[in-house]
Every structure is written in C-alpha cells, then in structure tokens.
Amino acid sequence: MCGIVGYVGYRDCSDVLVSALTKLEYRGYDSAGIAVFEDNKISVAKSKGKLKDLVEKMAAEGKPQGHAGIGHTRWATHGEPSDINSHPHSGAKVTLVHNGIIENYKELKDFLVKQGREFLSDTDTEVVAQLLDYYYANIKEPIKAIIETTQELRGSFALGIVFEDYPERVYAVRRESPLIVGVGEKENFIASDVPAIIKYTKNYYLIEHDEIAVLSHEGVEVFDAHYQPVTKELKTADWDVDAVGKCGYPHYMIKEINEQPNAVKQTVAPRIKDGMPCLEECSITPEKLRTIRNIYIVACGTAMHAGMVGKYVIEDIARTAVTVDIASEFRYRNPIIGEGDLIIIISQSGETADSLAAMRLAKEKGATTLAIVNAMGSTIAREADMLIYTHAGPEISVASTKAYMVQLSVMYLFAFELAYAKGKFDEEKLRYYTSKLESMPEMIEKVIAQTTEISQKISTKLMTADSLLYIGRGLDYALSMEGSLKLKEISYIHSESYAAGELKHGTISLITSEMPVIAVATQSALYEKTVSNIKEVKARGAKVIMICKENCEVSKDIADYVLKIPCYEEILLPMLVCVPLQLIAYYTSVQRGNDVDQPRNLAKSVTVE
Ligand code: M6R
C-alpha cells in the first residue's frame, strides 16, 4: 500500500532514502517524502506526485543533508494526494512515516483536539504522530512512548519514527503491515520490503507484531511490547541487485515476462523428486491429501485467476470439488467450511488484507489452510498451516505476470499430487504429466520468442478500441479472465471476459465492428463449440483475434488475426497462452503511452480492505 524506509549510517541519507524508495514505489506512488537529521534538527522534504517529483523539488530547493532519517512513498487512503497529506507527519518533537490504516483515528483525533492539538492534514498518520508526541511529552522516553501509543491504535501499521531529542536514531514498530530491518556494515536500514535495501545489504531481520526496532550508528536493538530485548534471527535474501533492477528492459513488466521460464524452473524443480511431485517439505503428504473433503481457493485479482485455472485442473484430474472465491466476498459470506476442508490462499505479496482475513477466518472455523505465496516471510506465509513458496523473485511491476505463472505451476504440482493420492492418476500417468510440467520453462521461452512480434502487431489494432471482449470455454475461459484484467489495468481500455457459451444470453448485444473480440480456443474438446461462438460475434461485425494451437486451420471468415501457440499437453496450455495475453496487454499500454509499471490509481500490494 505505502512503502516506508529508514537509514542510519555513513552515506548521504537523502540519497539512500530516495534510492530505497525507488524500489518500493510499486507499493504506492501518489506522493513521497523524507525526514533527515540535519545538524540535529529534523529536516523534511515532501511532495505530491511520483518520487521523481520529490527529487526535482529537492534539486531545486536543496535536499536535507545528514546520515539518519526516514522516507515514504504513498498510496492515498485518508485524504487526497497532496503536499500536505504526504508523509512524513509531525508533532512537536516527533516525525514519522506510516504504512497501514488506523481504524480508530477519528476517536483518537477527537481526544487530541480536546487536548488542544491542531492538525494540518486529513490523514490517519498525523493522528499517530500527534498521539506519540502527546505521550512523549509526558514520558520523555521514546520506546515507552511508542508502547503507550501502539496500545491505543487499532488497525495496521508499520511506522518509521524519528525523535528530535534523539538525533541519529531511527525507531520502527509494526502491527500487521510488513517491516524488515536491514543490517549492513556500519549502516542499518528499515524497509517495508527487502528490495529496498538489497543494493546495500542482503542481511535482514523480520520484525514481528508490536516489536520495536532501534537503529543507531552502533547497531540495531529490538524490543518486545513489554520493553524486553528480543534476539532476532538474521536472514539472508538469496537474490541480488539484478533481481530488483530493470537490467536494460524498458519496463519491469517486460523484464518479468521474460523471467518466467526461470521463475517456473526455480519453483518446480525443487519440488520434483525421482520424476514425481514431492511437497513434503511444505508439509503436504499423500496421507494428508486423502483426508481432504472440499477445496476452496481464495485470493484476489490475478492470484484468484490462477485459482480459476487450478479449479478446472483439480476437478478434472483429481475429481475433488473446488470452489474459487474472491477473498473480499469469502470473508463476509459466512462460508460453510470446517474440519476436513482445505482452504488454499494464493498471494504474491502475502500481505493482501482480504486474503489474510479470509485465511484467518478459515483457521477460526477449523479448516486447514495452505498458502501459496511469493514474498518470503510475509504474514500469510507465516500464519498458514501449510506453505508452498513460489520462487519468482521480487515482482515489481504492478501488473502481475511471473507471479501468476508460478502460481499456475504450483496449481499443477498440487493437482498432480492430489490426483495420485486419490488414485485418479497411476504412477505412469503421474510421471508423464510431471515430466511435461518440468519441460515448461523451455516451452514458455519458445512462446515468448514466437509471439512477441505478433502480440505487438495485434496491440496496434487494439490501442484505439474503447472496449473489448475476451471469450473462451473451460480453461480458456479461466485464462480469458486474466487476459482481460491485464489489459484493462495497464491500458485503461475497458474489457470483459466472458464464457463463450454465455454470450448469447445478453452480452452479444454489445458486439459491433467497434468491439474487438479476443477468442481463446486451445482445448480440443471445446474447439468446435468455441468456433461456433466466434462465428456468432463475427456475423455481428466483430474483429476477431483468435488464439489457438498451431495445428488449427483457421479461415479468414472466422478470425481476422490468428496467434498460434505450440501444440503441447492441453491441460498445461494456460502456462503458454498467458504469455501472448500478457504481451498484448503490455504492448497496448506502451503504445498508448501509459506508465506500464505504475498504472493509475493502483498499488502492488493491497493491504487495506
Ligand atoms: O499480492 P496478491 O497476489 O495477494 O495480490 C492480489 C491482487 O491484488 C493482484 O494479483 C492484482 O490483481 C494484480 N495487480 C493484477 O495484475
């Protein structure tokens, strides 16, 4: 949602904070700000707009000079994006940055107003700054004041704090929102996520709920909510600077599309032993799988679309009922779940508020939870009963591509293992499908090479459209959902995905020559039926772009443009077809001159409801 950073060390603090924030801008990018100790006084610079606007402002007006401070990049929740609402926010002696939402900020604000406190902004964060300042004014000790303050707060927060009376020190505390402390040589950091600090150090501590970290030139200390020292385990990130840079690509999105073969290899290879899936290190055993009654897949956005593919595959081969739920619906619909049910939560960030709440609800109701998560150490990863990490590396572009791809690969591993455990696959069949999945990285690479140019051409036809439809049946329908979301979120062209057979029950009345239709038809059993649906839209003037297997003969009266993908095991084709769908969205957005990696109104990690 927002990104916070902090630094104490020997480098130019403003430069470090800005550099770290560039790696967190994916979390929010409508304003940014920093606060740095300059001659023992706190000097603040902040600005509406992207980080580059702050950098330009500091270039014109002078940047704070010092070696300790905090920084923030914002996705507005309370109050519009503006200079005033930008973080940091201050009380008399306290300045802080915040990621999260304070649910009881109104009552706290009323209390503080009664104490004579005045507010400048509309934010919940300024309330925290004033409350902390209020306690600090009485207690005069930073950690005790932080403890008093956080006891009053309801909601989620990761705070980076500086106290004017304690120069060259950065304090940090969190509840629900993520926070790490980076540990370097004579320099230490705080950040919402590891990519922010990887340029400086790979070593970090994960800060737990209500723990307080204190960074100084001497080192890092961590305390619990009772002011007792805590010994932390030092973790090491296993990826390098390239993983968080563009490496010559114009955008993170296209870099991440190209990283997909490797991401799948990293995710799948360690889970295959002797030619068969092995998820034992994730606590998933055939015995456990045999006890599952119903499966629910709960997630948001792209992750939910990976779950849709999972549903089709699991039901088809493992003959186990799967319900896919949008997390924000699941948590409020009083789901009928309990012991014996498996709730699979899929999340790239592992911090999505609705997915986390859904998982907690499932646990409360006695169901078993399995998380499929990309971000190491994230809250969903830590709280799930069972966990499969995807190994896509950091995904920076807001539009998810490689995370979706690896989520699909895990869906397959899981489905194969389940089919075998339930006796629906014999060993031969299991080995066959596993080997096909193992070869996917080369196939994905081939498809990227084969479909880039044609996707680019197709996007020149789409870039002027006002609206378009994606249609398909079965697995192709599940894929269409993701294709449509990808296009709309970064190109700002309205699009919808539709089950091809459902069109004539209403939606076909939208079809004109102005509404292009992308038809996905890769599944032999449904091919003829989808072609009939394509003919129906074609007869009503639609321009049709058809995605099918390379052995399909497609005449001009069916499709205007045909994009062919290699013939392969059909059940695995979603992992190939999603590539041109991602590329079409990418090039359409590029051609429309949009900010591909940071589309308007969005943030990568949605940690609020
Ligand atoms: O981090 P998560 O996977 O839980 O995020 C879920 C969605 O917010 C996310 O997939 C979103 O839909 C993507 N930005 C779409 O590209």
Side-chain angles (χ1 to χ4, degrees), residues 20-38:
L21 287 174
T22 57
K23 302 296 177 221
L24 293 185
E25 239 192 333
Y26 70 90
R27 301 177 70 89
Y29 34 82
D30 56 41
S31 56
I34 61 172
V36 173
F37 280 107
E38 197 170 38

Side-chain angles (χ1 to χ4, degrees), residues 396-416:
I396 309 282
S397 174
V398 167
S400 182
T401 53
K402 63 174 179 171
Y404 174 72
M405 183 67 94
V406 291
Q407 286 160 359
L408 292 185
S409 71
V410 169
M411 286 281 96
Y412 287 108
L413 275 175
F414 177 82
F416 297 165

Side-chain angles (χ1 to χ4, degrees), residues 300-303 346-350 352 398-400 407 485-486 489 606:
C300 303
T302 291
I346 308 178
S347 176
Q348 188 286 128
S349 63
T352 301
V398 167
S400 182
Q407 286 160 359
L485 174 64
K486 211 83 311 168
E489 77 171 317
V606 184

Side-chain angles (χ1 to χ4, degrees), residues 296 323-325 328-336:
Y296 292 77
T323 306
V324 179
D325 264 278
S328 55
E329 289 295 314
F330 180 84
R331 60 184 290 197
Y332 294 117
R333 73 168 172 80
N334 196 7
I336 308 165

Side-chain angles (χ1 to χ4, degrees), residues 260 263-264 267-268 271 297 301-314 317 344 346-347 372-373 388-392 400-416 437 440 444 475 478-480 482-483 570-579 581-582:
Q260 293 183 114
V264 171
T267 302
V268 170
R271 277 70 185 255
I297 301 180
T302 291
M304 190 273 289
H305 294 154
M308 284 302 295
V309 172
K311 170 188 167 73
Y312 280 96
V313 175
I314 295 168
I317 65 173
I344 304 179
I346 308 178
S347 176
I372 298 173
V373 170
I388 306 180
Y389 271 126
T390 53
H391 296 302
S400 182
T401 53
K402 63 174 179 171
Y404 174 72
M405 183 67 94
V406 291
Q407 286 160 359
L408 292 185
S409 71
V410 169
M411 286 281 96
Y412 287 108
L413 275 175
F414 177 82
F416 297 165
L437 179 62
M440 284 313 276
I444 298 166
L475 277 174
L479 257 176
S480 300
E482 176 55 10
E570 284 193 358
I571 208 167
L572 289 165
L573 284 181
M575 290 179 73
L576 301 184
V577 182
C578 70
V579 171
L581 294 178
Q582 294 164 344

